[in-house]
Amino acid sequence: MDLATLLPFIVNVIVGGLVLGFVYAIIALGYTMVYGVLQLINFAHSEVFVTGAVVGFEVFRVLAPNPMNGYLKLLIALVAAMIVSGLLNVLIERLAYRPLRNAPKLVPLITALGVSLILQDVLRIIEGFQGRFDLTYTLPPGFAGRFCAAESSCAGLGNFLRTIGVDLQLKDVILIVVSLLSLAVLNYLVNRTRLGKAIRAVAQDRVTAGLMGIDANRMISATFLIGGALGGISGVLFGMKFGTVNAYSGFDPGIISFTAAVLGGIGSIPGAVLGGLVLGVIQNLIGVTNVFGGLLGIANLEAIDASYQRIGAFIVLVLILIFKPTGLLGKSNVEKV
Amino acid sequence: MTAANPAAPRRARPLPDRTILLILTFLVTSGLLLLSHNGPLLERLGALGTVLRNPIVEAVVVSLFLANVLFAYLWRAAPWAKALVGLGSLLLVLPWAGREDTSLLDLSIQIMIFAALALGLNIVVGLAGLLDLGYVAFFAVGAYTWGIFASPRFAEILRYYGENPGGTNALTLALGLFLTAVTAASMVYIRRQTVRPTRASSWSFGLASFGLIAGLLLTGRALLVLNAGAAAGLATGIDPNFFWLFLALSVFAAAVVGVLIGLPVLRLKGDYLAIITLGLGEVIRVLANNLDLYSAGSQGITPIRSASVPWFDGLAGALGFQPDQYYLLFLYVLVLVLIAVILLVNIRLDRSRIGRAWIAIRDDEVAAQAMGVPLVQTKLIAFATGASFAGAMGMIFAAKQTFVSPESFNIFQSIGVLSMVILGGMGSFPGVILGAAVVTLLNLRILPGLGEATANVPWIPQQVNPGQLQRLVFGAILVAIMLLRPEGLLPNRRRVLELHHDENQEDDSAQGAGPALTGGGGDVYSPGYATREEDESAGTTGRGTRGTR
């Protein structure tokens, strides 16, 4: 491989990493919002996110014979996943975390693990009754195709990407756009609305916020609803990106996303996004280390393949946390959520 | 200890003496256990035999029998009865029943391995308050330490190095040893020299530690190459008499790994520490999965030998065990002894200076530091102690299974051990052992038993067969126990006091709050919560200043 082909290759790897990173970023937001308000690692979030993916799968499956516009199907899938995941998250909070509000921190952590195990099996059973385990997405026609397939229809950004040799599928572009849109909405919600103000107040000090007339329990429910809805969106996007999900496939992205949230500084929304993007890119780069190893003739690098992706993420996390123990964007007096 | 006073009246009423009941349950459950695990006898019993062979009944019998030991601990009874029931159950009845059905011995060893793991994790999480989600990594270190050497793997590694010697000869060995010695000496020197660590000293210390690792690697590699000729003689692993040496080595190696993992990450707190330890646990698993030469990758290492103890084999033979079961009985006794040792160490540590330092750190790190508790050192001791128990158990696990593969060391195992600790009652030794027994029984006997018993029931669809529902049932039990008894099954007395502190308050100001506070009203008076909040804000600022300098 010479430089002329290597450069677009690297650019593609990085862009692919960013696409992956957006999925992680949105999942990480679900973790970070809950953490910001309750200081709880919501281990059940990975299952909430898989629930979103399953709902998305069902919507696409049911609507597949319908000749309606692909984007409309996507919208329906997203909204359905948001509603189901959001409500599920609220329910989990109500049943498993709220009764333990005053217990030591590790107790809700264990119920979170328990809920996560329960949800995995419930999802498996529900889909199992229809004889399914691995759910393969039936995307609307064209979604899996190349972004800017015909040269004539390409304009602006599409043309630019084409010239620098970036090869994106349409679903990747959709993924980025949806992620950015939900980020913008979340940002507006948290920073500009009364609800957001109240959530931030509860995150800072639950008792004082209560004294100011804020119903902390309602705000926590609202946070779980928002976090769950984000989980739903990310589930659908994840399903579209990877094609298949099953009841147990939430664990890996869940852990990586939580790592992303910690990497960015847990409790910080921009931190979660940054962490997700950084981890996505790093993972993709580690996935092709063997190519670089082959280029440079270093046998040890060649042996590093995609199975090292996850530990790469963790090693980066360790290194960053050693030098900056509060994460990339965490401040010592963090403004949570 | 002033806090103990409010709770004192609650424990004032003495429990009734249950000596006779205890002996009776012991006799009944032992009889049932011996009966239900005796194949030939069951044949002759007809209908009763069929009932006893039912997997659910069997699981219940085993659980009831193990509950004996718990009763012996819990109930108020004459000391001789307690000792009789406890020792009789573990040393006499269980091996006796296990003679007929080795899966029972296997199960008991597994329970005790998990109990020891839970005791180890209890030190880290329950006493020192460091949330470690990668605990199983130390277990893996112990398992692979023995697994590699006591199996054909070692011969293959030597053969590989014989074929690929690189530039290694005696000179490299000398270089490696030299490098190791020099860097180790300089590390010691730097540590001695600097009263307060400066930037330069910590950098040179870090550099020296890299040098040390390089030196050790060189030395190890050179040793492997120089000994490559011995490969043929080691076709089935090293001599099993080395078992005891390797038991010590596993403990040591796990403790070293514990310190290595702890050293860089102990500056972090709470959830940061949790995710890092989780990550490092995964790192060890992925390495085991990918370093094919040393760990045989995902296929795993097999067969792994157990120790060779001729007199014990003779004893087992005299007791009527089959030769292929000798090692199980041996491991059973060994693990029993080790549990006793670990328990003893735990109790001694808990009452020692170190133990109180751990609890002080758990309760309030800043205050503990202000009182002169050396933070890093104390935390590292907690990490290393917990890890060393896991190392010893990992080795026994490898010898019991005769097989290790990365699958046994995934994150769910860590989470499982953590749930044992919390389920049983954090910080309480009997509670932790109970938690381990409950979870292991549930996962290995009760749920599979239920699944087996209902496998052919026509009206239960395959999807909801309890055998397939292990996660769901386990998760539901976790949630239920946490909601009903957040302090665990057999809580530590201190912890109960902390959790019910507001209930024990003389004045009822905690209850007198307005509607806005009812949700979190208890918070203000709950010391656990208050400490955590202070801890976090103080901790983060502390970190900030340390980080910037």
Side-chain angles (χ1 to χ4, degrees):
Chain A
M1 221 189 269
D2 59 343
L3 201 67
T5 52
L6 185 63
L7 205 60
F9 175 72
I10 296 176
V11 171
N12 267 318
V13 168
I14 291 177
V15 170
L18 287 177
V19 173
L20 190 62
F22 273 112
V23 180
Y24 290 152
I26 297 203
I27 308 176
L29 283 176
Y31 280 105
T32 218
M33 299 238 344
V34 168
Y35 188 89
V37 175
L38 285 187
Q39 275 81 49
L40 162 73
I41 307 177
N42 183 11
F43 271 109
H45 190 71
S46 54
E47 273 60 50
V48 169
F49 138 84
V50 174
T51 309
V54 171
V55 171
F57 161 81
E58 290 293 346
V59 170
F60 279 124
R61 187 181 63 86
V62 170
L63 293 182
N66 199 320
M68 85 176 50
N69 188 332
Y71 293 100
L72 194 60
K73 289 182 187 172
L74 175 68
L75 189 67
I76 297 174
L78 284 174
V79 171
M82 277 170 77
I83 293 172
V84 174
S85 295
L87 292 180
L88 178 68
N89 218 13
V90 172
L91 189 73
I92 293 172
E93 191 270 332
R94 186 72 192 75
L95 296 180
Y97 304 151
R98 190 176 297 180
L100 297 169
R101 218 29 82 63
N102 299 326
K105 232 171 153 184
L106 278 175
V107 175
L109 186 79
I110 292 293
T111 54
L113 289 172
V115 169
S116 149
L117 291 176
I118 294 175
L119 285 178
Q120 285 179 2
D121 255 6
V122 168
L123 280 177
R124 184 185 55 78
I125 291 167
I126 290 176
E127 289 301 319
F129 269 118
Q130 284 135 54
R132 290 191 285 262
F133 182 72
D134 278 316
L135 312 173
T136 308
Y137 267 60
T138 42
L139 287 180
F143 271 31
R146 205 172 160 221
F147 178 57
C148 252
E151 201 160 349
S152 54
S153 67
C154 281
L157 183 69
N159 245 340
F160 172 70
L161 290 177
R162 227 182 149 81
T163 22
I164 60 170
V166 173
D167 189 19
L168 276 183
Q169 288 185 329
L170 183 56
K171 61 181 184 186
D172 294 338
V173 178
I174 292 173
L175 190 151
I176 295 179
V177 171
V178 172
S179 314
L180 287 176
L181 270 180
S182 29
L183 274 177
V185 172
L186 179 72
N187 197 33
Y188 174 77
L189 208 64
V190 170
N191 289 324
R192 297 289 147 99
T193 59
R194 271 176 70 90
L195 176 75
K197 209 172 188 177
I199 289 179
R200 278 182 292 149
V202 172
Q204 279 203 339
D205 189 336
R206 204 186 311 153
V207 178
T208 316
L211 290 174
M212 301 298 151
I214 297 171
D215 185 345
N217 278 334
R218 269 188 62 197
M219 287 311 127
I220 291 170
S221 287
T223 314
F224 271 82
L225 186 69
I226 298 170
L230 285 170
I233 296 178
S234 51
V236 175
L237 295 180
F238 180 84
M240 282 172 57
K241 169 113 182 87
F242 291 98
T244 5
V245 284
N246 65 45
Y248 303 134
S249 60
F251 181 75
D252 260 26
I255 288 294
I256 299 278
S257 305
F258 185 72
T259 310
V262 173
L263 181 68
I266 190 154
S268 140
I269 289 180
V273 178
L274 182 67
L277 294 180
V278 168
L279 277 193
V281 171
I282 287 171
Q283 280 218 316
N284 250 20
L285 282 176
I286 291 173
V288 297
T289 312
N290 49 355
V291 177
F292 295 118
L295 278 181
L296 303 170
I298 303 173
N300 286 341
L301 274 187
E302 266 182 273
I304 294 178
D305 58 359
S307 58
Y308 285 89
Q309 277 184 346
R310 203 182 332 166
I311 71 171
F314 282 120
I315 288 172
V316 169
L317 178 73
V318 173
L319 289 180
I320 289 182
L321 286 188
I322 285 173
F323 291 106
K324 204 161 181 324
T326 48
L328 286 174
L329 294 186
K331 297 185 211 95
S332 42
N333 50 348
V334 200
E335 195 194 48
K336 291 156 187 163
V337 170
Chain B
M1 281 288 112
T2 48
N5 292 334
R10 290 203 300 182
R11 278 183 277 115
R13 194 159 41 92
L15 296 163
D17 191 327
R18 288 175 172 159
T19 309
I20 300 172
L21 189 62
L22 183 64
I23 299 284
L24 266 180
T25 23
F26 169 60
L27 290 178
V28 171
T29 50
S30 303
L32 271 176
L33 185 81
L34 288 173
L35 192 64
S36 70
H37 285 87
N38 194 333
L41 201 62
L42 285 182
E43 294 286 328
R44 267 182 276 141
L45 279 176
L48 184 66
T50 331
V51 171
L52 279 178
R53 214 173 301 138
N54 186 312
I56 304 178
V57 176
E58 202 202 311
V60 170
V61 167
V62 173
S63 315
L64 279 180
F65 175 73
L66 289 178
N68 257 330
V69 187
L70 177 69
F71 293 150
Y73 169 77
L74 281 182
W75 287 354
R76 204 173 77 89
W80 62 264
K82 287 187 168 213
L84 176 78
V85 172
L87 293 178
S89 305
L90 293 176
L91 287 180
L92 187 73
V93 181
L94 206 67
W96 191 1
R99 191 178 63 180
E100 310 300 332
D101 180 5
T102 23
S103 75
L104 194 63
L105 274 185
D106 201 85
L107 176 77
S108 331
I109 300 176
Q110 196 67 38
I111 289 178
M112 285 193 282
I113 286 178
F114 277 123
L117 285 182
L119 281 172
L121 188 62
N122 179 49
I123 289 186
V124 182
V125 180
L127 296 185
L130 305 163
L131 181 52
D132 182 356
L133 289 182
Y135 184 64
V136 83
F138 310 126
F139 188 55
V141 168
Y144 274 102
T145 308
W146 180 240
I148 290 173
F149 286 96
S151 71
R153 225 349 74 186
F154 188 47
E156 273 172 51
I157 295 171
L158 284 181
R159 211 168 291 133
Y160 171 83
Y161 278 105
E163 285 159 11
N164 305 283
T168 316
N169 52 23
L171 209 63
T172 335
L173 179 63
L175 177 68
L177 283 176
F178 175 74
L179 203 57
T180 312
V182 166
T183 46
S186 64
M187 281 166 88
V188 173
Y189 178 75
I190 293 168
R191 266 290 123 108
R192 287 259 174 85
Q193 276 296 301
T194 44
V195 185
R196 285 183 61 83
T198 61
R199 204 188 169 86
S201 79
S202 57
W203 269 98
S204 45
F205 191 78
L207 209 62
S209 61
F210 273 113
L212 182 66
I213 292 171
L216 284 176
L217 284 180
L218 263 183
T219 314
R221 194 191 151 88
L223 281 177
L224 284 175
V225 172
L226 289 177
N227 288 313
L234 289 169
T236 59
I238 55 167
D239 193 288
N241 281 321
F242 279 112
F243 187 85
W244 306 105
L245 174 67
F246 271 82
L247 192 59
L249 269 183
S250 303
V251 169
F252 180 71
V256 167
V257 173
V259 171
L260 284 183
I261 288 184
L263 211 49
V265 303
L266 281 182
R267 272 172 58 200
L268 310 168
K269 301 186 147 205
D271 304 299
Y272 289 93
L273 184 66
I275 197 75
I276 288 265
T277 48
L278 189 155
L280 291 173
E282 280 294 282
V283 167
I284 292 206
R285 192 185 63 82
V286 174
L287 286 182
N289 218 342
N290 285 287
L291 295 177
D292 287 347
L293 173 63
Y294 303 99
S295 66
S298 51
Q299 300 166 10
I301 303 178
T302 192
I304 298 169
R305 291 195 194 172
S306 179
S308 144
V309 188
W311 64 265
F312 196 90
D313 288 353
L315 182 72
L319 289 175
F321 279 81
Q322 304 296 321
D324 58 337
Q325 299 169 354
Y326 289 171
Y327 81 100
L328 269 182
L329 186 68
F330 165 72
L331 289 176
Y332 174 78
V333 175
L334 176 67
V335 88
L336 209 57
V337 171
L338 279 182
I339 281 268
V341 171
I342 286 176
L343 209 51
L344 209 65
V345 169
N346 259 310
I347 292 170
R348 302 296 300 173
L349 274 177
D350 188 37
R351 293 176 185 167
S352 71
R353 226 178 124 86
I354 290 281
R356 275 174 293 159
W358 286 335
I359 293 172
I361 286 183
R362 182 191 75 193
D363 288 347
D364 191 336
E365 204 173 298
V366 180
Q369 198 172 20
M371 290 298 157
V373 174
L375 275 193
V376 171
Q377 200 182 326
T378 316
K379 285 181 175 181
L380 277 184
I381 292 175
F383 246 67
T385 320
S388 57
F389 297 165
M393 288 302 134
M395 180 168 168
I396 288 172
F397 177 77
K400 190 202 76 165
Q401 302 288 76
T402 68
F403 171 70
V404 285
S405 79
E407 273 313 295
S408 316
F409 310 109
N410 59 26
I411 165 89
F412 290 107
Q413 298 280 342
S414 294
I415 290 176
V417 178
L418 182 66
S419 62
M420 290 168 195
V421 172
I422 295 173
L423 209 67
M426 244 173 32
S428 130
F429 304 134
V432 163
I433 295 177
L434 176 67
V438 168
V439 171
T440 318
L441 264 181
L442 202 65
N443 275 339
L444 293 185
R445 267 300 153 94
I446 299 175
L447 293 179
L450 274 176
E452 213 181 301
T454 54
N456 297 318
V457 180
W459 51 268
I460 298 181
Q462 196 49 44
Q463 284 83 11
V464 288
N465 178 315
Q468 305 249 344
L469 289 187
Q470 296 202 10
R471 284 171 193 244
L472 191 140
V473 176
F474 184 54
I477 289 175
L478 277 188
V479 173
I481 293 188
M482 285 298 99
L483 289 180
L484 299 176
R485 284 187 77 112
E487 66 268 40
L489 293 173
L490 275 186
N492 184 337
R493 229 172 266 155
R494 245 183 86 102
R495 228 175 154 74
V496 177
L497 287 177
E498 279 173 17
L499 277 169
H500 296 290
H501 187 58
D502 45 347
E503 292 163 23
N504 298 332
Q505 292 279 310
E506 297 277 309
D507 60 343
D508 52 1
S509 52
Q511 273 77 37
L517 260 177
T518 42
D523 280 356
V524 192
Y525 297 95
S526 158
Y529 185 80
T531 326
R532 167 157 53 86
E533 289 293 284
E534 278 163 29
D535 213 47
E536 267 171 13
S537 53
T540 36
T541 46
R543 272 206 303 272
T545 47
R546 234 180 296 157
T548 47
R549 257 164 222 168

